[in-house]
Amino acid sequence: VRVSKEDLLTLYDTGVPQRGGQGDKTYDHRKESEALLLYSRTSAMPEDSVLRQDTVGFHAGDALIPLINVPDAVKKCEGLDVVYTHNLNRHCLAIVGNYNSRYNGHIFKFQRKGARKKETLQEQLKHPLVPISRGVDVENHGSAFRMPDIEKVEEHWSNLGTYFNAIDHLTSKLEPILQKIHRNKTVIVTVTNAGHKTLLMNFVCSCKARGFEISNLVVFATDEESMHLAEDLGVAVFYDERIFGSIPATASKQFGDADFKAIVFAKLVAPQLVNMLGYDMLFQDIDIVWNQHPVDLFIDPKGPYKDFDMLFMDDGIRNIIYAPYQANSGFYFAKCNEETKFFFRQLLYYADNIHKWTSEQGVFGAVLPEMASLLGLRIKTLLDLDFPGGFHYHRSSDFIRDIVEGKAQPVIFHMHWTKSVIQKLDFMKQMGLWYVKDVCLTSDLLEEKVQGSIKDQSAKQDIGCCSNEALVQCIFFDKGSVTQCKGDTSMRMFESTKHFWPT
């Protein structure tokens, strides 16, 4: 039978995002509005009277496939397996009976070996169908899941050895901090080094200006400079040289470079420690500004997310490495239970792949579906329009204008999909998301303030960097802004682009 796809996935929410995104331009969720249900036995099928209700069904040859409502369609089903498939050209889907389908949590894939786009259809079909991994791109060939070099594997083993040998010391050091700051066994966790300190300041300053309670925030600092800054901002901080001492203090020049990959290990260690100590947590990057308090939304016992173990921001991209959840690892909420504890341990074991997969996000993409299949971990990708970020900033000008004009009111904004810290600052200033005074953006002046605060304990929690109002600045007239930025061509980021605000 046919059923409404939206109704099916509302009643049986798999957590997988339904909207298309960057990298999946061929997919239009509005055109695929129905799902097809197959029954293993006639005894599982709806009553004939129900099937006859659709008199204008879709004809497949001489057969009529009726369209009925979801409750009637599954009324006699003892179980329901949901399989996602993309309607690629000439793609076949085989449903094969076996001794127990419940024992199989994977889809076995085959592809024409050696077939190329430049070949004719007749030439492509001469190639044999051979087994492939889920990482093989059907359109472009080649595997997205490349294995790490042995040198990186051994480096990761060494890092894990250091971490596991120190874990008793680390938990005894972290536990008193979490006990002091938690709210109903829930904490907010972030990670930073000195190179990203201005973003940490902005997150804290924006929360103060907007009236959000963050007394349960703990910053995992990877160097002493960022540790002292967090202390002077009045937030809890955890630092341990034994596991973080080798991480560079400089900001990464771009996403995926060596410095970026080095700090990623801390982004796996921090949530694992908090989770194993028994706390629910919101883990987030520091290039984020809140419009609503997300934790209150996530922990609401009557809210829409109460049945899920983990909630993730939608990254925006649509590719094999992040599929099927397309989860952004820079903003997620995780309950503490045995399933999530197992998940965070697995992330650590997989982390040698970071060197081949650019970031920890690929590791999340590999482990999440396995945990959902193996353990029944309930994962949900949040609606991207409620939790937008850099993907929308760079790809959806109309939506950004809706935000500025108050037509859209997202919970948070995450300035990801951005090459460097400098660009993040520029874009956040334009969007009215910046709350750090210019005097604190100069390293020497900020260091002077921090060192003065260290010496004078009475100065703590107020180093004079936070503004009570957003500090807006026009830098590019062709990028999103809360005001109409005007200027000559030197204020244009890309030569071929037009003004963000129509003139």
Side-chain angles (χ1 to χ4, degrees):
V1 301
R2 295 148 51 226
V3 297
S4 162
K5 177 180 175 181
E6 181 179 355
D7 291 348
L8 176 69
L9 296 177
T10 298
L11 282 172
Y12 305 102
D13 191 345
T14 62
V16 173
Q18 302 307 314
R19 290 167 49 83
Q22 175 67 15
D24 192 16
K25 296 177 181 177
T26 62
Y27 176 69
D28 186 345
H29 67 101
R30 294 166 297 183
K31 293 181 179 179
E32 297 181 0
S33 60
E34 295 177 355
L36 181 66
L37 263 66
L38 304 178
Y39 297 92
S40 60
R41 296 183 180 182
T42 55
S43 58
M45 294 179 65
E47 303 289 347
D48 288 344
S49 58
V50 173
L51 297 177
R52 286 195 295 269
Q53 290 177 7
D54 179 26
T55 57
V56 197
F58 174 77
H59 286 269
D62 294 330
L64 176 70
I65 304 178
L67 174 66
I68 64 176
N69 65 55
V70 174
D72 285 337
V74 301
K75 187 175 182 179
K76 294 185 179 181
C77 298
E78 294 181 352
L80 175 67
D81 295 334
V82 177
V83 179
Y84 286 93
T85 183
H86 192 348
N87 293 334
L88 296 170
N89 293 337
R90 303 183 302 279
H91 189 73
C92 303
L93 182 65
I95 308 296
V96 182
N98 203 356
Y99 61 95
N100 194 329
S101 65
R102 293 290 177 178
Y103 296 159
N104 176 33
H106 297 81
I107 296 176
F108 300 95
K109 297 176 177 290
F110 294 79
Q111 182 176 302
R112 299 282 177 186
K113 182 179 181 180
R116 293 290 181 266
K117 287 183 177 181
K118 64 182 180 180
E119 295 179 325
T120 65
L121 174 59
Q122 290 73 19
E123 290 173 331
Q124 290 177 353
L125 295 179
K126 290 179 181 178
H127 296 281
L129 286 168
V130 299
I132 62 170
S133 73
R134 80 181 190 203
V136 171
D137 188 326
V138 177
E139 295 293 318
N140 300 314
H141 303 276
S143 178
F145 293 108
R146 295 170 295 159
M147 291 174 284
D149 302 327
I150 187 60
E151 293 82 6
K152 294 301 181 182
V153 173
E154 291 176 347
E155 179 184 327
H156 180 59
W157 288 348
S158 176
N159 290 337
L160 282 182
T162 301
Y163 175 60
F164 290 143
N165 287 332
I167 201 162
D168 289 340
H169 161 73
L170 297 172
T171 53
S172 64
K173 186 176 178 180
L174 178 60
E175 174 67 8
I177 298 174
L178 301 182
Q179 285 182 347
K180 182 178 179 180
I181 68 170
H182 79 87
R183 293 173 55 201
N184 299 318
K185 296 293 286 186
T186 302
V187 295
I188 304 163
V189 180
T190 194
V191 174
T192 192
N193 69 353
H196 297 86
K197 58 180 177 281
T198 52
L199 290 171
L200 173 63
M201 284 193 290
N202 189 64
F203 173 68
V204 174
C205 291
S206 68
C207 287
K208 289 181 178 179
R210 296 182 174 206
F212 294 123
E213 172 61 53
I214 54 169
S215 60
N216 59 337
L217 168 67
V218 58
V219 175
F220 280 73
T222 62
D223 51 67
E224 290 190 359
E225 183 179 347
S226 52
M227 176 187 73
H228 291 314
L229 175 63
E231 290 173 341
D232 293 315
L233 288 169
V235 297
V237 60
F238 177 88
Y239 170 68
D240 191 274
E241 186 177 7
R242 193 182 312 184
I243 57 169
F244 295 148
S246 62
I247 295 175
T250 54
S252 55
K253 293 182 177 61
Q254 63 180 17
F255 177 83
D257 67 13
D259 287 349
F260 179 91
K261 292 175 181 176
I263 198 172
V264 158
F265 184 69
K267 292 179 66 176
L268 299 180
V269 165
Q272 197 270 326
L273 281 171
V274 173
N275 174 262
M276 73 177 292
L277 287 172
Y279 294 87
D280 298 344
M281 70 177 148
L282 170 66
F283 182 92
Q284 67 159 65
D285 290 342
I286 48 178
D287 53 347
I288 288 175
V289 172
W290 294 354
N291 298 317
Q292 302 174 41
H293 202 306
V295 176
D296 293 342
L297 182 63
F298 297 154
I299 65 174
D300 183 352
K302 297 181 180 179
Y305 309 119
K306 58 181 173 45
D307 295 327
F308 291 93
D309 300 307
M310 302 190 76
L311 304 166
F312 286 87
M313 175 184 172
D314 189 331
D315 185 74
I317 199 168
R318 295 292 182 265
N319 66 19
I320 292 173
I321 293 182
Y322 300 163
Y325 294 104
Q326 313 298 343
N328 180 275
S329 56
F331 184 86
Y332 62 87
F333 182 80
K335 293 179 181 177
C336 176
N337 54 39
E338 293 306 311
E339 289 77 17
T340 56
K341 288 180 180 178
F342 189 83
F343 167 78
F344 283 112
R345 291 198 299 271
Q346 296 304 306
L347 281 184
L348 286 176
Y349 304 151
Y350 264 73
D352 52 358
N353 294 291
I354 290 169
H355 299 282
K356 284 293 185 182
W357 299 349
T358 306
S359 77
E360 83 284 5
Q361 204 151 284
V363 179
F364 274 78
V367 178
L368 280 171
E370 289 301 311
M371 298 301 99
S373 173
L374 184 65
L375 305 178
L377 185 69
R378 293 297 312 280
I379 304 156
K380 182 172 179 62
T381 304
L382 300 161
L383 182 63
D384 65 318
L385 300 183
D386 290 337
F387 297 84
F391 163 70
H392 302 83
Y393 186 74
H394 299 299
R395 305 281 179 173
S396 183
S397 296
D398 289 342
F399 178 64
I400 297 301
R401 280 190 283 271
D402 284 346
I403 293 177
V404 173
E405 294 171 349
K407 298 176 183 177
Q409 297 179 327
V411 178
I412 59 113
F413 196 93
H414 183 184
M415 194 57 79
H416 69 324
W417 273 58
T418 302
K419 183 178 180 180
S420 65
V421 172
I422 294 174
Q423 282 192 352
K424 289 178 187 290
L425 267 62
D426 289 345
F427 299 152
M428 294 176 87
K429 289 175 182 178
Q430 292 211 164
M431 283 296 294
L433 303 175
W434 195 253
Y435 290 83
V436 180
K437 297 177 182 177
D438 286 347
V439 67
C440 293
L441 298 183
T442 303
S443 296
D444 292 342
L445 290 175
L446 176 59
E447 181 65 18
E448 181 181 331
K449 285 177 174 289
V450 172
Q451 291 300 326
S453 179
I454 293 171
K455 295 175 183 178
D456 179 10
Q457 296 299 309
S458 65
K460 279 191 178 295
Q461 299 190 30
D462 187 7
I463 55 177
C465 288
C466 291
S467 168
N468 292 327
E469 301 290 338
L471 302 172
V472 180
Q473 181 180 348
C474 283
I475 299 166
F476 303 109
F477 64 62
D478 56 345
K479 299 302 295 181
S481 58
V482 294
T483 185
Q484 294 199 24
C485 296
K486 299 178 181 180
D488 57 28
T489 55
S490 65
M491 288 185 64
R492 185 167 59 190
M493 188 169 186
F494 301 109
E495 286 189 16
S496 59
T497 52
K498 302 178 182 179
H499 282 264
F500 172 76
W501 289 102
T503 56

